Structures are given as C-alpha cells and as structure tokens.
Amino acid sequence: LGGWLLAALSCLPAAAWAGPPTDYVKGIMQKVMAIQNDPALAGPAHQDARARAIRQIIKENFDFAMMARDSLGPTYNRLSAAQAREFEQTFAQLFQDSYTRLVLNFLKRETIQYHQESQQGDRAQLKTTIVRINETIPVEYLMHSRSRSWVLYDVKVDGVSILKTYKDQFARVIQRESFSFLLKRMKLQAQALD
C-alpha cells in the first residue's frame, strides 16, 4: 500500500504539495515582522543583525536563477555558462541587499490584509494590502512551485513589478553599452556592499 500511495502522489502536480499561496506568504511576513519587532534586536545597534536575519529569509524564498534569466530576456541565451553563473550570483547579491533595505525601512507594525489568491498550474499570485495610518499600498506576490514548496519570483508594489523594473533598466544599459558593461557595473555595486 505504501508504494502504491507514493506512486499515486508522485503523479500530482508540484503545486499540490505546496499548500495555499496565502499561507506561504503569511509565513514569510510573520517571520519578517517577528524580526522587526523583536525587543532583543531593537534599535540602531542591532540594525546589522536584523538585516542579516531578513536577508536570510529573502535568500530562502526567491528564485534568483529564474529572476536573473527573466531580467535579461533574450540576452541571457547568448551568455556562456560562466557568464550566466556570474550574472546570477551578482544579481542575487544585489537583489537581496536592495530588498532587505526595503523591508527594514518599510515593514514594522503595519497591518497586512490578504485578499485574492489564484493558481494556474505551478504558478500562483496573491494580492495583499499593506495598511498604514495614512495610506494603503497594494502588494502582489508572484510565485511558482519548486521542491514541494512555493518560491517567489516577482513582487508588484502599487502595480509596479520589481522584475520588470530590473528588466527595463538592464535592457537600456545593454542597448546603450553592452552586457559586459552591465555586469561590470553590477559587480562594482556588489563589491561596495562588502
């Protein structure tokens, strides 16, 4: 019976293992808020510790390889394996830093309302709203299933896709200069973070 059950379950689409997208995003947000509101990590003296903890959550929950590919569009297919690997690593480092700063500066005690989730195959979207005292900000999370869990590949803040913003910026630099120029500039930015 055990073998039969395992075989039957292995035929299910990956998303069936992943659980509801809302639960996945809620789990991430609860971890982030717990770090941001931990009295032991409060104040400027613990800023670096909070940043490291949040960066780890981001590292575990975004598909950087997919994001790197999508952000370069057709240019990615013309890269050597070494160039692709170098670009993905640099992209991941810069994204983690940028998104960590966004979270540190933006999320603390806000209320998050979870709205409509939708799934199609191994992809899902979740619409949320961040409620602050004097404003509401729509945030949409885009994810796909991987290794029996969800993983994020884009976030739209107030209708603006983070991934599309990268894509547009990269395309402009490549068109004006070259991919090598883009990568060199990104690596300099990454070195400045160390």
Side-chain angles (χ1 to χ4, degrees):
L1 180 64
W4 175 85
L5 183 60
L6 198 60
L9 290 174
S10 68
C11 296
L12 293 173
W17 291 92
T22 303
D23 290 352
Y24 169 68
V25 174
K26 267 186 188 174
I28 295 171
M29 300 311 290
Q30 286 166 355
K31 287 177 192 171
V32 166
M33 293 295 201
I35 292 163
Q36 286 283 69
N37 295 297
D38 183 347
L41 295 174
H46 298 288
Q47 170 97 1
D48 288 346
R50 287 197 310 276
R52 279 193 303 274
I54 288 169
R55 179 187 281 265
Q56 187 59 36
I57 291 170
I58 292 165
K59 188 177 180 180
E60 292 167 358
N61 288 286
F62 278 88
D63 187 341
F64 298 112
M66 178 183 179
M67 293 170 74
R69 280 194 309 272
D70 285 0
S71 71
L72 277 185
T75 300
Y76 187 88
N77 297 326
R78 296 192 288 273
L79 303 182
S80 69
Q83 285 177 314
R85 191 166 47 252
E86 193 174 16
F87 178 77
E88 285 174 18
Q89 289 169 349
T90 309
F91 176 89
Q93 188 178 355
L94 290 174
F95 181 86
Q96 286 169 41
D97 177 73
S98 170
Y99 206 72
T100 296
R101 281 188 279 111
L102 180 73
V103 170
L104 283 171
N105 297 328
F106 200 64
L107 283 177
K108 187 144 179 135
R109 300 187 190 282
E110 288 77 10
T111 300
I112 299 169
Q113 297 174 342
Y114 297 88
H115 306 300
Q116 178 186 357
E117 72 173 47
S118 59
Q119 276 182 247
Q120 191 164 14
D122 68 345
R123 300 222 173 184
Q125 292 173 288
L126 173 65
K127 294 183 178 182
T128 70
T129 305
I130 296 173
V131 181
R132 308 179 104 172
I133 292 169
N134 54 359
E135 65 178 336
T136 58
I137 304 153
V139 180
E140 186 174 349
Y141 297 92
L142 285 77
M143 64 204 91
H144 69 101
S145 61
R146 183 182 71 184
S147 302
R148 301 180 183 178
S149 180
W150 294 111
V151 63
L152 297 165
Y153 66 86
D154 196 7
V155 179
K156 293 180 182 177
V157 181
D158 209 5
V160 179
S161 158
I162 290 175
L163 191 56
K164 186 175 185 319
T165 301
Y166 277 113
K167 195 170 188 171
D168 292 346
Q169 289 172 354
F170 293 167
R172 279 196 298 273
V173 173
I174 291 168
Q175 187 175 17
R176 201 169 52 238
E177 301 287 346
S178 66
F179 169 77
S180 296
F181 180 89
L182 170 68
L183 183 57
K184 186 176 177 182
R185 197 167 84 173
M186 288 172 69
K187 285 171 73 175
L188 286 172
Q189 288 177 320
Q191 285 167 13
L193 301 174
D194 295 337

